[in-house]
Amino acid sequence: MNVEWKKYDVLVIGSGGAGSHAAHAASNKGASVLVVSKDPLGVSDTKISEGLATVRESGSNDDSVETLSENIKMAGADLSIESLTNAFSQDSKLAYDKYRENGLRPTISLKSQTPKPLPLPLGGHTRRRTVGHNNSGIAFAHANWNAIVSKGEINYKEDCWIIDIIVDKKTVIGAVAYDAQKGIILAIQCPSVIIAAGGLSTIYFPKTDTLRGNTGDSYALAVRAGADMVDMEQIQFLPFCLTSPPSYEGLLAGEPVTASFLGVLRDKNKNIILDSVFLRTRAQCSEAIMKSVEKGNGTINGGAFLDMSANKRAPKSGPYFMEYLKTSLPSAYNNVRQALSKPASQCDELWEVRPGAHYMMGGLRVNEFGASVAGEFYGKVDLGVSGLFAAGQSMGGLFGANRLGSTSLTEGAVFGLRSGEAAAKNSIYNPLKLQSNDKFLKKISEIDNILVTKGKYSSSSIKKDIQKACWKNLGPIRDKKRLNKMRKLIELWKKKIKNIRIEDTLIWNQSFIEYIEVKNMIDTAEIMLFAAEERDGSIGGHVRIDCKNISMFSKPYSTVVNINNDKSFNVKRVYRNRTPLKRMLFYKVEEIKRLLEAKTIRFLPLSIKDKILEKKYKNIMENNDEMSSIYPGSPEAAIGEKTTL
Ligand SMILES: Cc1cc2nc3c(=O)[nH]c(=O)nc-3n(C[C@H](O)[C@H](O)[C@H](O)COP(=O)(O)OP(=O)(O)OC[C@H]3O[C@@H](n4cnc5c(N)ncnc54)[C@H](O)[C@@H]3O)c2cc1C
């Protein structure tokens, strides 16, 4: 087997929003950096995203670090770690500027001359602070690509799979990768590794991303390296995904806020199952849909109907609503227009929607610099795996039980930058002192043995079984029976993967690639199962129909899963600080007030309601006139473009 040995200060796994910012920051600190990405550079969830980014204070003067941080914590049912929510809130503007320095061109508000926020706050945000982009995630992906290639100092490898991180005495010493393009194994020696390998939605179907890559590699690599994983039961199901035709299944049909002031969710009998949808979080909408399905009231494709016709019917405010729908989240409108019908896109017909797996709130347990931690006093007393970092969807502890819309693109840049700098520092203060190559050689010999496996199962068939089973048994609705079933299936897949069919070659070996990913999917599903079994109630993205909802007055706890010496997993609870009661009650009262106001408007006679809504739309809808031209130095140009002239 052909093995190439490499030495770097920092290895970054992944080239999405998190990986590109991490690489850029580490390189700026003088570290030698290698980015390894199994997809082509910048091709990832970041690229197919809606391109909505949280930028503090972009829409409301009374926004602040504290308000944004509190919004995240409250939506996350107090599972979020405050040092992380504070870091996110504090750096959100700076992170957005970094995207702009690397080429992102925002839409600028003609009124304020600052990046233009959407007209309404996304569900759970109490301020307008979500900035949209005309060409969605593509704009972000190009900025990410630029962040890696522009300086010419960052080395990168595409079509290259990290197989495992190599650790000695709880300290990172490198990683082993499969370079499919060249048909070789890479042994990369380095004191710092940043995991920015994205999420796990591919272990489910339906899911919102159309990429093959989200096979949970982040979590499997981290747990096998000995790191603590936090809140791994908390997967977010995006409530409004298309259910048909098959080629559109799982694609986004909007956010809760898409429903605007009068949108409701209905079951198959047209009974309302959730009102004031625009004020709800993603978790609340998904829960309402899946509980209705569980009661036997689901639509033909196992979902519910999003009914926005009342918005449209109001004669004066209706045209404003249609303008809002078409321009605020254009991809929802366009997907529905293409997938369903013109009358549906005009809201004359109901939209059949169903939750789809979207985002993992859990992940590697880190401190505010993205460093792996274990124990209560993270970062100081109980460091986790030394030299191991995570950023973006790989990390946990920031969003707790529910992620607010538009926060992930920002999260990638905030923690990418922080972890990149911290990893570079780690390489300076803790340079690699290798006694021997034994740990690497052991892993390489394991790979050699796998390549001669001539079993009877194909990885791709196991992959399909995993997707179906995870949706059914580890999906938005869970109970003990389903979790027990899941455990049996995981044991079965573990046996099957030992009896797998793999080609004996290293040149673009698809069966080997599938093997690497399916193994990661199984490990990730198992970590999630341990966490889900420990969570004895419904909270956030996790609905246990055989247990009560977890009360907001009880002591919040996170689940933490790690690996034992015999490679089995272990789970424990870590208790969190609850938001002080007075503050929580204040927050809840404000939420109830907003819901009451929305309900009252719905029940007013049409003429009065119409007038009120017309006024509201006039207040929130900005003139959509475009700036006449964009050129380096103009407000819509990227910041980097300004500095080069
Ligand atoms: C349809 C859709 C719309 C969305 N819209 C929004 C939005 O508008 N706003 C928002 O904030 N969020 C949005 N999100 C979520 C957001 O896009 C993602 O959470 C975010 O982009 C994740 O960034 P990341 O850098 O952590 O991972 P990714 O961008 O997914 O990058 C992962 C990288 O890791 C690499 N990788 C994975 N495993 C390995 C391995 N074993 N070896 C080597 N490389 C590996 C991949 O090749 C890739 O380069 C959306 C998500 C989807 C699916």
Side-chain angles (χ1 to χ4, degrees), residues 282-307:
R282 293 168 169 180
Q284 288 165 330
C285 295
S286 290
E287 183 181 348
I289 298 171
M290 292 318 294
K291 279 190 169 163
S292 152
V293 172
E294 191 65 16
K295 276 190 202 150
N297 293 328
T299 53
I300 193 151
N301 291 305
F305 293 117
L306 178 59
D307 178 2

Side-chain angles (χ1 to χ4, degrees), residues 13-19 36-40 42-54 160-163 196-199 201 208-211 213-215 217-218 221 252 282 358-359 391-394 403 405-412 516 520:
I13 311 173
S15 64
V36 169
S37 163
K38 67 185 186 183
D39 296 293
V43 177
S44 67
D45 259 21
T46 308
K47 187 165 189 171
I48 59 157
S49 74
E50 298 286 288
L52 302 173
T54 295
C160 190
W161 277 251
I162 295 289
I163 301 172
S201 52
T208 58
D209 75 87
T210 42
L211 296 170
N214 289 324
T215 43
D217 300 14
S218 288
L221 290 173
L252 299 189
R282 293 168 169 180
H358 185 60
Y359 180 90
Q393 206 174 147
S394 307
R403 176 173 77 80
S406 80
T407 47
S408 176
L409 293 176
T410 313
E411 169 201 29
I516 296 170
N520 288 339

